[in-house]
Amino acid sequence: MEIKIDENGYYGKFGGAFIPELLHPNIEELKANYLKISEDEEFQNEFKSLLKDYVGRPTPLFLAKKLSEKYGAKIYLKREDLNHTGAHKINNAIGQALLAKRLGKKKIIAETGAGQHGVATATACALLDMPCTVFMGEIDMERQKPNVERMKILGAKVVPATSGSKTLKDATNEAMRFWINNPDDTHYIIGSVVGPHPFPDMVSRFQSVISEEIMHQLQEQEGKNAPDYVIACVGGGSNAAGAFYHYLNNEKVKLVAVEAAGHGIDSGETAATTAKGSEGVLHGFKTLLMQSEDGQVTEPYSISAGLDYPGIGPLHAHLYESKRGIFKYVTDKEAMDAGVELSKMEGIIPAVETAHALAALDQFNFNKEDVVVINLSGRGDKDLQTYINFGNY
């Protein structure tokens, strides 16, 4: 089984571009140019130079010895939390901002949930001298206050989304609405592997630097370039797409996607899309999403703002349906306990999103020679108040 996107932007039956007429010129412009520009030697030289000297890549691949001893495997942490701005999001933000400049766009908009993509986009725009507007759910603005202030300091305008659940879904709706009304001079930097084609493929490619580095680093440390497991949390799925990318068609590597179960899969307060979702169209692409019988999107819930999304990227929907991916579900409490455990064991406070990936370790019986890579997608500074409120440390 080969995992790849087709010329119309589908992974299997998921993906595509379901967009209003006013956005067709923008999407067609992107489709016609994103590969040509992003694969150009001059673009690659500038992109890689910024990743190295500005973002701080390559990020380390750290053997977590205490965690390895507890779970009976060789557990490595891919330290995306050590990137400039504190998460993997900066890889894609820099890439898309460079692309937007080459397309002649003058303004940037973005949406954000946990704030990390908003901060990354505001940072890239400050660096490249582009005006930036970030849409963010009103509730997320309250629970991620430090990131809101960081965006403002970086010169971005932060616009609250006050409709619906006032979280990531609604911020995405607002950003889409703004783009439809301002199509000519504006590029929308989508932060995850969601949205109409070519966004899922484009974001995956910019994030694929993660698995590219894992291959080289494992070769140096283990004498082989592929692990037995790659584990990553999934909301929309950008960090997982980046960590999986170079292993998608190596079926010896188990690809583990961890979704937020919230208060429990059957509690009515969950963001476990593959467990509770069905086929539908959301934000311009066909995927699995949580919806009622009459097609109304169900409000998701997670303690993690970055996983609080009712859908999943089309690549991940295809991985789930084809059974190429292994999907696990982790509750708020399990994630918070795992975050505290890593903090005390290895001296690394992870983002609450990442803590979900760590909590899934309990759901495997590893062999002691298994090599496991967990993508540590973000650092926990932004979630300090969530840890304090939870209190179990």
Side-chain angles (χ1 to χ4, degrees), residues 130-164:
M130 300 182 81
C132 176
T133 300
V134 179
F135 296 88
M136 189 171 189
E138 198 170 46
I139 287 177
D140 290 340
M141 288 180 70
E142 180 62 30
R143 59 181 172 177
Q144 300 288 345
K145 278 183 180 176
N147 274 343
V148 173
E149 299 308 315
R150 290 168 75 191
M151 285 184 267
K152 291 179 178 176
I153 291 169
L154 289 161
K157 179 182 178 184
V158 183
V159 177
T162 57
S163 60

PDB file of all heavy atoms in Angstrom, residues 130-164:
ATOM      1  N   MET A 130       6.029  41.622   6.909  1.00  0.00           N
ATOM      2  CA  MET A 130       4.705  41.491   6.314  1.00  0.00           C
ATOM      3  C   MET A 130       3.641  41.722   7.389  1.00  0.00           C
ATOM      4  O   MET A 130       3.712  41.123   8.465  1.00  0.00           O
ATOM      5  CB  MET A 130       4.521  40.095   5.704  1.00  0.00           C
ATOM      6  CG  MET A 130       5.525  39.765   4.616  1.00  0.00           C
ATOM      7  SD  MET A 130       5.242  38.123   3.890  1.00  0.00           S
ATOM      8  CE  MET A 130       3.917  38.503   2.724  1.00  0.00           C
ATOM      9  N   PRO A 131       2.645  42.578   7.144  1.00  0.00           N
ATOM     10  CA  PRO A 131       1.559  42.777   8.114  1.00  0.00           C
ATOM     11  C   PRO A 131       0.819  41.465   8.386  1.00  0.00           C
ATOM     12  O   PRO A 131       0.587  40.679   7.474  1.00  0.00           O
ATOM     13  CB  PRO A 131       0.638  43.776   7.408  1.00  0.00           C
ATOM     14  CG  PRO A 131       1.479  44.416   6.363  1.00  0.00           C
ATOM     15  CD  PRO A 131       2.488  43.395   5.928  1.00  0.00           C
ATOM     16  N   CYS A 132       0.449  41.253   9.659  1.00  0.00           N
ATOM     17  CA  CYS A 132      -0.099  39.948  10.066  1.00  0.00           C
ATOM     18  C   CYS A 132      -1.347  40.124  10.941  1.00  0.00           C
ATOM     19  O   CYS A 132      -1.329  40.914  11.889  1.00  0.00           O
ATOM     20  CB  CYS A 132       0.978  39.194  10.847  1.00  0.00           C
ATOM     21  SG  CYS A 132       0.447  37.615  11.525  1.00  0.00           S
ATOM     22  N   THR A 133      -2.396  39.398  10.613  1.00  0.00           N
ATOM     23  CA  THR A 133      -3.603  39.357  11.438  1.00  0.00           C
ATOM     24  C   THR A 133      -3.864  37.908  11.831  1.00  0.00           C
ATOM     25  O   THR A 133      -3.868  37.030  10.950  1.00  0.00           O
ATOM     26  CB  THR A 133      -4.821  39.906  10.667  1.00  0.00           C
ATOM     27  OG1 THR A 133      -4.569  41.256  10.281  1.00  0.00           O
ATOM     28  CG2 THR A 133      -6.074  39.854  11.524  1.00  0.00           C
ATOM     29  N   VAL A 134      -4.087  37.666  13.120  1.00  0.00           N
ATOM     30  CA  VAL A 134      -4.308  36.302  13.610  1.00  0.00           C
ATOM     31  C   VAL A 134      -5.695  36.220  14.243  1.00  0.00           C
ATOM     32  O   VAL A 134      -6.036  37.025  15.112  1.00  0.00           O
ATOM     33  CB  VAL A 134      -3.245  35.891  14.652  1.00  0.00           C
ATOM     34  CG1 VAL A 134      -3.520  34.472  15.153  1.00  0.00           C
ATOM     35  CG2 VAL A 134      -1.844  35.979  14.057  1.00  0.00           C
ATOM     36  N   PHE A 135      -6.498  35.244  13.813  1.00  0.00           N
ATOM     37  CA  PHE A 135      -7.824  35.002  14.389  1.00  0.00           C
ATOM     38  C   PHE A 135      -7.701  33.913  15.455  1.00  0.00           C
ATOM     39  O   PHE A 135      -7.070  32.880  15.233  1.00  0.00           O
ATOM     40  CB  PHE A 135      -8.804  34.580  13.293  1.00  0.00           C
ATOM     41  CG  PHE A 135      -9.043  35.662  12.275  1.00  0.00           C
ATOM     42  CD1 PHE A 135      -8.217  35.792  11.166  1.00  0.00           C
ATOM     43  CD2 PHE A 135     -10.077  36.574  12.449  1.00  0.00           C
ATOM     44  CE1 PHE A 135      -8.414  36.801  10.231  1.00  0.00           C
ATOM     45  CE2 PHE A 135     -10.286  37.590  11.524  1.00  0.00           C
ATOM     46  CZ  PHE A 135      -9.455  37.704  10.405  1.00  0.00           C
ATOM     47  N   MET A 136      -8.342  34.167  16.599  1.00  0.00           N
ATOM     48  CA  MET A 136      -8.212  33.241  17.726  1.00  0.00           C
ATOM     49  C   MET A 136      -9.518  33.220  18.508  1.00  0.00           C
ATOM     50  O   MET A 136     -10.121  34.274  18.757  1.00  0.00           O
ATOM     51  CB  MET A 136      -7.060  33.704  18.622  1.00  0.00           C
ATOM     52  CG  MET A 136      -6.668  32.728  19.719  1.00  0.00           C
ATOM     53  SD  MET A 136      -5.135  33.278  20.532  1.00  0.00           S
ATOM     54  CE  MET A 136      -4.787  31.840  21.559  1.00  0.00           C
ATOM     55  N   GLY A 137      -9.986  32.033  18.871  1.00  0.00           N
ATOM     56  CA  GLY A 137     -11.209  31.929  19.652  1.00  0.00           C
ATOM     57  C   GLY A 137     -11.103  32.688  20.970  1.00  0.00           C
ATOM     58  O   GLY A 137     -10.054  32.705  21.616  1.00  0.00           O
ATOM     59  N   GLU A 138     -12.224  33.299  21.352  1.00  0.00           N
ATOM     60  CA  GLU A 138     -12.222  34.122  22.569  1.00  0.00           C
ATOM     61  C   GLU A 138     -11.826  33.301  23.796  1.00  0.00           C
ATOM     62  O   GLU A 138     -11.087  33.779  24.675  1.00  0.00           O
ATOM     63  CB  GLU A 138     -13.613  34.722  22.759  1.00  0.00           C
ATOM     64  CG  GLU A 138     -13.656  35.909  23.692  1.00  0.00           C
ATOM     65  CD  GLU A 138     -15.009  36.594  23.641  1.00  0.00           C
ATOM     66  OE1 GLU A 138     -16.037  35.875  23.688  1.00  0.00           O
ATOM     67  OE2 GLU A 138     -15.034  37.835  23.553  1.00  0.00           O
ATOM     68  N   ILE A 139     -12.303  32.049  23.850  1.00  0.00           N
ATOM     69  CA  ILE A 139     -11.949  31.196  24.997  1.00  0.00           C
ATOM     70  C   ILE A 139     -10.464  30.843  24.965  1.00  0.00           C
ATOM     71  O   ILE A 139      -9.772  30.855  25.990  1.00  0.00           O
ATOM     72  CB  ILE A 139     -12.832  29.924  24.998  1.00  0.00           C
ATOM     73  CG1 ILE A 139     -14.249  30.301  25.423  1.00  0.00           C
ATOM     74  CG2 ILE A 139     -12.260  28.867  25.945  1.00  0.00           C
ATOM     75  CD1 ILE A 139     -15.225  29.142  25.387  1.00  0.00           C
ATOM     76  N   ASP A 140      -9.949  30.541  23.767  1.00  0.00           N
ATOM     77  CA  ASP A 140      -8.516  30.236  23.650  1.00  0.00           C
ATOM     78  C   ASP A 140      -7.665  31.445  24.022  1.00  0.00           C
ATOM     79  O   ASP A 140      -6.574  31.307  24.596  1.00  0.00           O
ATOM     80  CB  ASP A 140      -8.182  29.776  22.233  1.00  0.00           C
ATOM     81  CG  ASP A 140      -8.752  28.396  21.920  1.00  0.00           C
ATOM     82  OD1 ASP A 140      -9.058  27.662  22.881  1.00  0.00           O
ATOM     83  OD2 ASP A 140      -8.888  28.070  20.729  1.00  0.00           O
ATOM     84  N   MET A 141      -8.134  32.644  23.690  1.00  0.00           N
ATOM     85  CA  MET A 141      -7.383  33.858  24.057  1.00  0.00           C
ATOM     86  C   MET A 141      -7.253  33.965  25.571  1.00  0.00           C
ATOM     87  O   MET A 141      -6.220  34.402  26.087  1.00  0.00           O
ATOM     88  CB  MET A 141      -8.067  35.111  23.495  1.00  0.00           C
ATOM     89  CG  MET A 141      -7.929  35.251  21.989  1.00  0.00           C
ATOM     90  SD  MET A 141      -8.738  36.738  21.348  1.00  0.00           S
ATOM     91  CE  MET A 141      -7.661  38.024  21.994  1.00  0.00           C
ATOM     92  N   GLU A 142      -8.304  33.529  26.259  1.00  0.00           N
ATOM     93  CA  GLU A 142      -8.280  33.614  27.727  1.00  0.00           C
ATOM     94  C   GLU A 142      -7.322  32.569  28.310  1.00  0.00           C
ATOM     95  O   GLU A 142      -6.548  32.873  29.222  1.00  0.00           O
ATOM     96  CB  GLU A 142      -9.703  33.387  28.267  1.00  0.00           C
ATOM     97  CG  GLU A 142      -9.820  33.452  29.786  1.00  0.00           C
ATOM     98  CD  GLU A 142      -9.435  34.817  30.348  1.00  0.00           C
ATOM     99  OE1 GLU A 142      -9.618  35.833  29.647  1.00  0.00           O
ATOM    100  OE2 GLU A 142      -8.933  34.860  31.495  1.00  0.00           O
ATOM    101  N   ARG A 143      -7.351  31.320  27.764  1.00  0.00           N
ATOM    102  CA  ARG A 143      -6.530  30.278  28.372  1.00  0.00           C
ATOM    103  C   ARG A 143      -5.097  30.264  27.832  1.00  0.00           C
ATOM    104  O   ARG A 143      -4.271  29.503  28.317  1.00  0.00           O
ATOM    105  CB  ARG A 143      -7.188  28.907  28.226  1.00  0.00           C
ATOM    106  CG  ARG A 143      -7.484  28.420  26.831  1.00  0.00           C
ATOM    107  CD  ARG A 143      -8.176  27.039  26.875  1.00  0.00           C
ATOM    108  NE  ARG A 143      -8.637  26.614  25.568  1.00  0.00           N
ATOM    109  CZ  ARG A 143      -9.211  25.440  25.337  1.00  0.00           C
ATOM    110  NH1 ARG A 143      -9.379  24.576  26.322  1.00  0.00           N
ATOM    111  NH2 ARG A 143      -9.613  25.109  24.135  1.00  0.00           N
ATOM    112  N   GLN A 144      -4.818  31.082  26.824  1.00  0.00           N
ATOM    113  CA  GLN A 144      -3.450  31.163  26.283  1.00  0.00           C
ATOM    114  C   GLN A 144      -2.995  32.625  26.251  1.00  0.00           C
ATOM    115  O   GLN A 144      -2.419  33.091  25.263  1.00  0.00           O
ATOM    116  CB  GLN A 144      -3.394  30.551  24.880  1.00  0.00           C
ATOM    117  CG  GLN A 144      -3.804  29.092  24.818  1.00  0.00           C
ATOM    118  CD  GLN A 144      -2.754  28.159  25.425  1.00  0.00           C
ATOM    119  OE1 GLN A 144      -1.618  28.563  25.642  1.00  0.00           O
ATOM    120  NE2 GLN A 144      -3.124  26.921  25.719  1.00  0.00           N
ATOM    121  N   LYS A 145      -3.246  33.340  27.345  1.00  0.00           N
ATOM    122  CA  LYS A 145      -2.951  34.780  27.383  1.00  0.00           C
ATOM    123  C   LYS A 145      -1.513  35.135  27.018  1.00  0.00           C
ATOM    124  O   LYS A 145      -1.259  36.093  26.283  1.00  0.00           O
ATOM    125  CB  LYS A 145      -3.277  35.337  28.784  1.00  0.00           C
ATOM    126  CG  LYS A 145      -4.737  35.666  28.992  1.00  0.00           C
ATOM    127  CD  LYS A 145      -4.938  36.284  30.374  1.00  0.00           C
ATOM    128  CE  LYS A 145      -6.414  36.618  30.583  1.00  0.00           C
ATOM    129  NZ  LYS A 145      -6.636  37.141  31.967  1.00  0.00           N
ATOM    130  N   PRO A 146      -0.511  34.407  27.546  1.00  0.00           N
ATOM    131  CA  PRO A 146       0.871  34.784  27.211  1.00  0.00           C
ATOM    132  C   PRO A 146       1.133  34.775  25.706  1.00  0.00           C
ATOM    133  O   PRO A 146       1.843  35.648  25.193  1.00  0.00           O
ATOM    134  CB  PRO A 146       1.707  33.719  27.928  1.00  0.00           C
ATOM    135  CG  PRO A 146       0.847  33.282  29.072  1.00  0.00           C
ATOM    136  CD  PRO A 146      -0.551  33.322  28.537  1.00  0.00           C
ATOM    137  N   ASN A 147       0.556  33.798  24.992  1.00  0.00           N
ATOM    138  CA  ASN A 147       0.770  33.758  23.544  1.00  0.00           C
ATOM    139  C   ASN A 147       0.063  34.905  22.833  1.00  0.00           C
ATOM    140  O   ASN A 147       0.552  35.408  21.812  1.00  0.00           O
ATOM    141  CB  ASN A 147       0.304  32.414  22.973  1.00  0.00           C
ATOM    142  CG  ASN A 147       1.392  31.354  23.067  1.00  0.00           C
ATOM    143  OD1 ASN A 147       2.566  31.686  23.249  1.00  0.00           O
ATOM    144  ND2 ASN A 147       1.010  30.105  22.948  1.00  0.00           N
ATOM    145  N   VAL A 148      -1.073  35.342  23.356  1.00  0.00           N
ATOM    146  CA  VAL A 148      -1.752  36.506  22.778  1.00  0.00           C
ATOM    147  C   VAL A 148      -0.852  37.731  22.889  1.00  0.00           C
ATOM    148  O   VAL A 148      -0.669  38.492  21.923  1.00  0.00           O
ATOM    149  CB  VAL A 148      -3.099  36.753  23.489  1.00  0.00           C
ATOM    150  CG1 VAL A 148      -3.725  38.062  22.995  1.00  0.00           C
ATOM    151  CG2 VAL A 148      -4.056  35.592  23.258  1.00  0.00           C
ATOM    152  N   GLU A 149      -0.247  37.908  24.054  1.00  0.00           N
ATOM    153  CA  GLU A 149       0.639  39.062  24.240  1.00  0.00           C
ATOM    154  C   GLU A 149       1.894  38.946  23.386  1.00  0.00           C
ATOM    155  O   GLU A 149       2.398  39.945  22.866  1.00  0.00           O
ATOM    156  CB  GLU A 149       1.009  39.205  25.724  1.00  0.00           C
ATOM    157  CG  GLU A 149      -0.191  39.444  26.636  1.00  0.00           C
ATOM    158  CD  GLU A 149      -1.074  40.598  26.161  1.00  0.00           C
ATOM    159  OE1 GLU A 149      -0.532  41.663  25.796  1.00  0.00           O
ATOM    160  OE2 GLU A 149      -2.317  40.430  26.153  1.00  0.00           O
ATOM    161  N   ARG A 150       2.407  37.725  23.236  1.00  0.00           N
ATOM    162  CA  ARG A 150       3.584  37.540  22.375  1.00  0.00           C
ATOM    163  C   ARG A 150       3.267  37.966  20.941  1.00  0.00           C
ATOM    164  O   ARG A 150       4.066  38.635  20.289  1.00  0.00           O
ATOM    165  CB  ARG A 150       4.031  36.071  22.393  1.00  0.00           C
ATOM    166  CG  ARG A 150       4.648  35.638  23.716  1.00  0.00           C
ATOM    167  CD  ARG A 150       4.804  34.135  23.780  1.00  0.00           C
ATOM    168  NE  ARG A 150       5.909  33.634  22.977  1.00  0.00           N
ATOM    169  CZ  ARG A 150       6.109  32.347  22.709  1.00  0.00           C
ATOM    170  NH1 ARG A 150       5.259  31.440  23.154  1.00  0.00           N
ATOM    171  NH2 ARG A 150       7.145  31.965  21.995  1.00  0.00           N
ATOM    172  N   MET A 151       2.102  37.577  20.455  1.00  0.00           N
ATOM    173  CA  MET A 151       1.726  37.951  19.080  1.00  0.00           C
ATOM    174  C   MET A 151       1.651  39.470  18.938  1.00  0.00           C
ATOM    175  O   MET A 151       2.127  40.033  17.946  1.00  0.00           O
ATOM    176  CB  MET A 151       0.382  37.309  18.712  1.00  0.00           C
ATOM    177  CG  MET A 151       0.465  35.828  18.417  1.00  0.00           C
ATOM    178  SD  MET A 151      -1.114  35.140  17.870  1.00  0.00           S
ATOM    179  CE  MET A 151      -1.813  34.584  19.404  1.00  0.00           C
ATOM    180  N   LYS A 152       1.075  40.119  19.941  1.00  0.00           N
ATOM    181  CA  LYS A 152       0.949  41.580  19.878  1.00  0.00           C
ATOM    182  C   LYS A 152       2.316  42.253  19.917  1.00  0.00           C
ATOM    183  O   LYS A 152       2.581  43.214  19.180  1.00  0.00           O
ATOM    184  CB  LYS A 152       0.068  42.070  21.032  1.00  0.00           C
ATOM    185  CG  LYS A 152      -1.402  41.666  20.889  1.00  0.00           C
ATOM    186  CD  LYS A 152      -2.217  42.165  22.092  1.00  0.00           C
ATOM    187  CE  LYS A 152      -3.687  41.818  21.937  1.00  0.00           C
ATOM    188  NZ  LYS A 152      -4.464  42.217  23.148  1.00  0.00           N
ATOM    189  N   ILE A 153       3.198  41.762  20.772  1.00  0.00           N
ATOM    190  CA  ILE A 153       4.548  42.334  20.847  1.00  0.00           C
ATOM    191  C   ILE A 153       5.266  42.188  19.502  1.00  0.00           C
ATOM    192  O   ILE A 153       6.020  43.070  19.081  1.00  0.00           O
ATOM    193  CB  ILE A 153       5.355  41.660  21.981  1.00  0.00           C
ATOM    194  CG1 ILE A 153       4.783  42.071  23.343  1.00  0.00           C
ATOM    195  CG2 ILE A 153       6.848  42.020  21.903  1.00  0.00           C
ATOM    196  CD1 ILE A 153       5.336  41.260  24.512  1.00  0.00           C
ATOM    197  N   LEU A 154       5.002  41.080  18.823  1.00  0.00           N
ATOM    198  CA  LEU A 154       5.635  40.834  17.518  1.00  0.00           C
ATOM    199  C   LEU A 154       5.007  41.678  16.407  1.00  0.00           C
ATOM    200  O   LEU A 154       5.457  41.632  15.267  1.00  0.00           O
ATOM    201  CB  LEU A 154       5.523  39.343  17.170  1.00  0.00           C
ATOM    202  CG  LEU A 154       6.409  38.416  18.007  1.00  0.00           C
ATOM    203  CD1 LEU A 154       5.899  36.978  17.933  1.00  0.00           C
ATOM    204  CD2 LEU A 154       7.864  38.484  17.537  1.00  0.00           C
ATOM    205  N   GLY A 155       3.969  42.419  16.743  1.00  0.00           N
ATOM    206  CA  GLY A 155       3.384  43.345  15.774  1.00  0.00           C
ATOM    207  C   GLY A 155       2.132  42.845  15.094  1.00  0.00           C
ATOM    208  O   GLY A 155       1.603  43.514  14.193  1.00  0.00           O
ATOM    209  N   ALA A 156       1.624  41.679  15.491  1.00  0.00           N
ATOM    210  CA  ALA A 156       0.424  41.126  14.860  1.00  0.00           C
ATOM    211  C   ALA A 156      -0.841  41.709  15.491  1.00  0.00           C
ATOM    212  O   ALA A 156      -0.851  42.082  16.662  1.00  0.00           O
ATOM    213  CB  ALA A 156       0.418  39.606  14.989  1.00  0.00           C
ATOM    214  N   LYS A 157      -1.897  41.754  14.700  1.00  0.00           N
ATOM    215  CA  LYS A 157      -3.225  42.108  15.209  1.00  0.00           C
ATOM    216  C   LYS A 157      -3.946  40.809  15.543  1.00  0.00           C
ATOM    217  O   LYS A 157      -4.000  39.901  14.708  1.00  0.00           O
ATOM    218  CB  LYS A 157      -3.987  42.881  14.134  1.00  0.00           C
ATOM    219  CG  LYS A 157      -5.393  43.280  14.547  1.00  0.00           C
ATOM    220  CD  LYS A 157      -6.086  44.003  13.386  1.00  0.00           C
ATOM    221  CE  LYS A 157      -7.514  44.377  13.751  1.00  0.00           C
ATOM    222  NZ  LYS A 157      -8.217  45.002  12.597  1.00  0.00           N
ATOM    223  N   VAL A 158      -4.464  40.686  16.752  1.00  0.00           N
ATOM    224  CA  VAL A 158      -5.163  39.473  17.167  1.00  0.00           C
ATOM    225  C   VAL A 158      -6.661  39.765  17.212  1.00  0.00           C
ATOM    226  O   VAL A 158      -7.100  40.655  17.940  1.00  0.00           O
ATOM    227  CB  VAL A 158      -4.675  38.975  18.543  1.00  0.00           C
ATOM    228  CG1 VAL A 158      -5.373  37.661  18.911  1.00  0.00           C
ATOM    229  CG2 VAL A 158      -3.159  38.799  18.543  1.00  0.00           C
ATOM    230  N   VAL A 159      -7.431  39.027  16.425  1.00  0.00           N
ATOM    231  CA  VAL A 159      -8.872  39.260  16.317  1.00  0.00           C
ATOM    232  C   VAL A 159      -9.615  38.115  16.994  1.00  0.00           C
ATOM    233  O   VAL A 159      -9.447  36.950  16.604  1.00  0.00           O
ATOM    234  CB  VAL A 159      -9.297  39.354  14.833  1.00  0.00           C
ATOM    235  CG1 VAL A 159     -10.804  39.524  14.710  1.00  0.00           C
ATOM    236  CG2 VAL A 159      -8.560  40.489  14.142  1.00  0.00           C
ATOM    237  N   PRO A 160     -10.445  38.395  17.996  1.00  0.00           N
ATOM    238  CA  PRO A 160     -11.164  37.309  18.679  1.00  0.00           C
ATOM    239  C   PRO A 160     -12.305  36.751  17.832  1.00  0.00           C
ATOM    240  O   PRO A 160     -13.011  37.500  17.165  1.00  0.00           O
ATOM    241  CB  PRO A 160     -11.706  37.991  19.941  1.00  0.00           C
ATOM    242  CG  PRO A 160     -11.799  39.434  19.590  1.00  0.00           C
ATOM    243  CD  PRO A 160     -10.696  39.710  18.607  1.00  0.00           C
ATOM    244  N   ALA A 161     -12.445  35.412  17.856  1.00  0.00           N
ATOM    245  CA  ALA A 161     -13.603  34.762  17.241  1.00  0.00           C
ATOM    246  C   ALA A 161     -14.612  34.532  18.350  1.00  0.00           C
ATOM    247  O   ALA A 161     -14.334  33.822  19.329  1.00  0.00           O
ATOM    248  CB  ALA A 161     -13.188  33.442  16.599  1.00  0.00           C
ATOM    249  N   THR A 162     -15.787  35.139  18.197  1.00  0.00           N
ATOM    250  CA  THR A 162     -16.756  35.134  19.294  1.00  0.00           C
ATOM    251  C   THR A 162     -17.971  34.253  19.009  1.00  0.00           C
ATOM    252  O   THR A 162     -18.894  34.206  19.804  1.00  0.00           O
ATOM    253  CB  THR A 162     -17.241  36.568  19.569  1.00  0.00           C
ATOM    254  OG1 THR A 162     -17.795  37.102  18.360  1.00  0.00           O
ATOM    255  CG2 THR A 162     -16.086  37.462  20.005  1.00  0.00           C
ATOM    256  N   SER A 163     -17.958  33.548  17.880  1.00  0.00           N
ATOM    257  CA  SER A 163     -19.103  32.694  17.542  1.00  0.00           C
ATOM    258  C   SER A 163     -18.868  31.269  18.036  1.00  0.00           C
ATOM    259  O   SER A 163     -17.761  30.896  18.412  1.00  0.00           O
ATOM    260  CB  SER A 163     -19.308  32.680  16.024  1.00  0.00           C
ATOM    261  OG  SER A 163     -18.151  32.169  15.389  1.00  0.00           O
ATOM    262  N   GLY A 164     -19.927  30.448  18.002  1.00  0.00           N
ATOM    263  CA  GLY A 164     -19.820  29.019  18.301  1.00  0.00           C
ATOM    264  C   GLY A 164     -19.190  28.740  19.648  1.00  0.00           C
ATOM    265  O   GLY A 164     -19.536  29.351  20.669  1.00  0.00           O
TER     266      GLY A 164
END
